[in-house]
Amino acid sequence: MPPARDASMPLFARWRERATMLPRPYRLLLAFAAGAVSAAAMPPVHAIPVLLATVPLLLWLLGADRGWRPAFATGWCFGVGFFLAGLYWITFSLLVEAERFWWLVPLAVPLLAAGLGLFAGAAAWGAVALAPAGSLGGPLALAVAWTAMEWLRGWILTGFPWNLMATVWTAFDAPMQAAAATGAYGLGMLTLLWAGTPALFADRRRPVRWGALCAAVLLPLALWAGGAARLAAAGDAKAGDAVAEGVRLRIVQGNVAQAHKWDPDRRLAHLRAYLEMSVVPPPGGLPPPTHVIWPETAVPFFLDTDPLRRAQVAAAAPSGGAVITGVPRVRREPGFRAWNSLVAIAENGDVVAVYDKAHLVPFGEYVPLRGMLPVERIAHGRGDFTAGPGLRTLTVPGLPPFSPLICYEVIFPGDVVAREGPRPRWLLNVTNDAWFGDSAGPYQHFASARLRAVEEGLPLVRAANTGISAVVDAYGRTVARLGIGRTGVLDESLPAALEQLTPFARWGNAVTLVMLLLGTAITMIVRRLQGVSSDG
């Protein structure tokens, strides 16, 4: 017979008991499922309330573990589910050339999820070490440990800070304003703390349950209220009052399918389409563009060695302005080298600015441990791209100085602006998300880019081959956008940068370090006080 149910036990306590009394294989499967469901909180679904169920469930499952190995395994299963469901879209890139990479389709995302799951496993182990089973500091301990692992994930092995917890808030302009002070890592820590508090509803002590309920309600309200007040002081994003004087940008979205992009029989037609869209008069008597922006590798020719094509591109440059485009760049002597670059070409054909992508995509633009791994990079061509020297601020005639960011260079919190030289007045992200179709990938990429605008207090201009192209103000609000799969142009003014540095722009990820240290100290104090109370 099953044990008699304790009617005095709180409902959440009964749920916790049912979860933790399961055989260990079922608990691991439940952790995996909780992680997979948690991915629904990310863009484009933004089902944020699921975290109020899945994060407490993870904490309860960790409470059933004894020792660091079981805790690590539980966290790893949660992480594998989270990354498997959140990064499924990477498989789309392998299907562009399925005849070459078909064998990787069933392997790539599961192996990546298994590797990234190690960070979640380490976070679970850290949480248990900080706050043993039953500790009131459990939610804060998990928030601290998970955030520390997000930070580590942002730089180890060149870094992959994708789907940070903070991105769940990008569905709303107000709560993501906290990133101006805390950065994405800090906002993610607050998010995990909030999501984990319902775990304390299972406590038998009524004051603990009421305190957890207050925290679960007040924390998001504080984020919303603080962000709303900041936006109210900023004014309407689309009013166009705070813009760079004399600048009118045309962002061209060519919508070229990745399978057709490098087709020799179509390359010239693609270039002509970009040229034609660049010179069409703006509708409704709007001012003509002063500068034209094309996406990553929009020009499928080597402009540095092809003066004819360079002259064609220059013909699309407005008088006194330039065409800014992504383009492959090569040097054949001595030895062949290639760069994924951004160049600005004036109307006379001069290249007035060059930036070479510094943060290359593993397996996309280069193969780690080449010679040992039996694969070629996924992007077009053979051999590896060469990494550029690093971030820099570019100056183009007629434009405020800007920080160029190619593709996923925009996803790194605190690493989108050069530390030396003049501070840019805006961020320019050129990208090609055609690899991933109309999947979650492009939406997640755009959400991450918007967070960089909030953190730095700088407007963001984004030119994407198949979308999402957009103009975003210094508060992360979308002024204008072209959706996925659309062909067209955006004619917009350049929003102004904030005159004062945001706290994050001033101190960077040092803010996160302070939050982690403070969270650790509070967790240890709570653990100590709880131990003293238990002894008493």
Side-chain angles (χ1 to χ4, degrees):
M1 295 179 60
R5 178 178 296 177
D6 184 357
S8 66
M9 183 181 294
L11 176 63
F12 283 85
R14 294 199 294 269
W15 290 351
R16 178 183 63 185
E17 185 177 53
R18 289 176 181 175
T20 56
M21 293 299 290
L22 289 171
R24 176 148 182 79
Y26 290 100
R27 296 206 306 270
L28 294 177
L29 184 61
L30 190 58
F32 173 85
V37 172
S38 296
M42 298 292 159
V45 180
H46 288 293
I48 304 174
V50 302
L51 296 177
L52 295 172
T54 58
V55 176
L57 178 57
L58 174 61
L59 284 165
W60 292 341
L61 293 174
L62 291 175
D65 293 326
R66 295 294 183 269
W68 73 268
R69 287 184 179 86
F72 185 95
T74 298
W76 180 80
C77 288
F78 182 93
V80 171
F82 179 74
F83 291 112
L84 193 64
L87 300 175
Y88 75 91
W89 47 268
I90 292 177
T91 302
F92 286 43
S93 64
L94 302 174
L95 297 176
V96 172
E97 294 187 65
E99 68 281 2
R100 290 177 59 198
F101 299 110
W102 61 269
W103 60 279
L104 278 173
V105 169
L107 299 175
V109 175
L111 288 176
L112 178 62
L116 294 175
L118 297 175
F119 293 96
W125 171 81
V128 170
L130 282 174
S135 172
L136 297 180
L140 181 56
L142 180 62
V144 167
W146 185 281
T147 302
M149 289 301 103
E150 281 196 335
W151 192 0
L152 184 65
R153 181 160 58 90
W155 64 266
I156 195 169
L157 297 177
T158 78
F160 189 66
W162 199 278
N163 274 0
L164 302 179
M165 274 296 167
T167 60
V168 303
W169 298 111
T170 55
F172 312 99
D173 291 334
M176 72 173 182
Q177 297 305 307
T182 66
Y185 295 126
L187 179 54
M189 180 175 163
L190 295 176
T191 304
L192 261 295
L193 174 60
W194 162 72
T197 51
L200 299 179
F201 294 172
D203 197 286
R204 289 177 176 269
R205 292 163 291 186
R206 190 181 299 271
V208 173
R209 298 201 301 271
W210 278 107
L213 178 62
C214 291
V217 172
L218 292 179
L219 203 155
L221 283 181
L223 289 178
W224 227 290
R230 186 172 191 257
L231 294 178
D236 188 355
K238 298 185 179 181
D241 297 329
V243 297
E245 186 176 352
V247 176
R248 191 74 179 172
L249 302 178
R250 169 165 289 184
I251 304 166
V252 183
Q253 185 167 299
N255 195 31
V256 178
Q258 188 60 37
H260 301 159
K261 189 173 179 63
W262 299 100
D263 186 339
D265 296 329
R266 301 182 184 186
R267 289 192 303 165
L268 188 55
H270 297 160
L271 176 58
R272 286 173 177 163
Y274 271 101
L275 293 171
E276 290 170 3
M277 286 189 285
S278 299
V279 298
V280 171
L286 293 173
T290 60
H291 297 79
V292 175
I293 301 175
W294 296 352
E296 178 187 16
T297 58
V299 179
F301 298 96
F302 299 122
L303 295 185
D304 48 347
T305 61
D306 193 338
L308 174 61
R309 303 305 176 204
R310 189 167 65 247
Q312 288 179 304
V313 174
S319 178
V323 173
I324 303 174
T325 181
V327 63
R329 202 169 64 83
V330 297
R331 188 191 69 189
R332 303 184 187 279
E333 297 292 342
F336 182 85
R337 299 178 73 185
W339 294 265
N340 185 357
S341 304
L342 176 145
V343 300
I345 300 175
E347 57 185 323
N348 63 358
D350 288 345
V351 177
V352 295
V354 177
Y355 170 74
D356 297 322
K357 185 178 181 182
H359 211 135
L360 301 179
V361 180
F363 299 102
E365 293 168 314
Y366 77 99
V367 177
L369 303 176
R370 178 175 286 281
M372 297 177 62
L373 298 178
V375 295
E376 278 294 330
R377 63 181 174 89
I378 296 172
H380 177 79
R382 301 291 180 179
D384 294 339
F385 278 108
T386 300
L391 293 171
R392 55 179 298 198
T393 300
L394 291 187
T395 301
V396 172
L399 284 176
F402 64 93
S403 179
L405 302 162
I406 299 177
C407 191
Y408 96 144
E409 287 185 313
V410 79
I411 73 171
F412 294 86
D415 196 22
V416 294
V417 172
R419 295 183 175 88
E420 299 179 355
R423 179 170 172 79
R425 302 293 293 174
W426 55 294
L427 307 174
L428 173 60
N429 179 215
V430 297
T431 188
N432 175 27
D433 292 345
W435 291 98
F436 312 113
D438 190 5
S439 67
Y443 295 95
Q444 294 170 1
H445 197 184
F446 180 52
S448 185
R450 290 176 59 213
L451 278 172
R452 303 294 85 76
V454 178
E455 290 169 343
E456 301 292 340
L458 298 175
L460 169 82
V461 175
R462 191 169 193 263
N465 172 25
T466 55
I468 303 166
S469 297
V471 176
V472 175
D473 75 357
Y475 296 90
R477 298 176 295 186
T478 302
V479 177
R481 63 182 278 172
L482 274 174
I484 294 176
R486 293 185 57 190
T487 304
V489 301
L490 286 177
D491 287 328
E492 292 292 333
S493 298
L494 175 64
L498 300 187
E499 291 304 320
Q500 294 186 340
L501 294 178
T502 64
F504 185 82
R506 188 179 301 276
W507 294 302
N509 285 316
V511 177
T512 305
L513 178 59
V514 172
M515 292 180 67
L516 290 174
L517 293 174
L518 183 61
T520 301
I522 293 174
T523 303
M524 299 301 292
I525 292 172
V526 170
R527 175 179 176 178
R528 175 70 174 171
L529 291 176
Q530 188 177 9
V532 170
S533 175
S534 300
D535 292 341

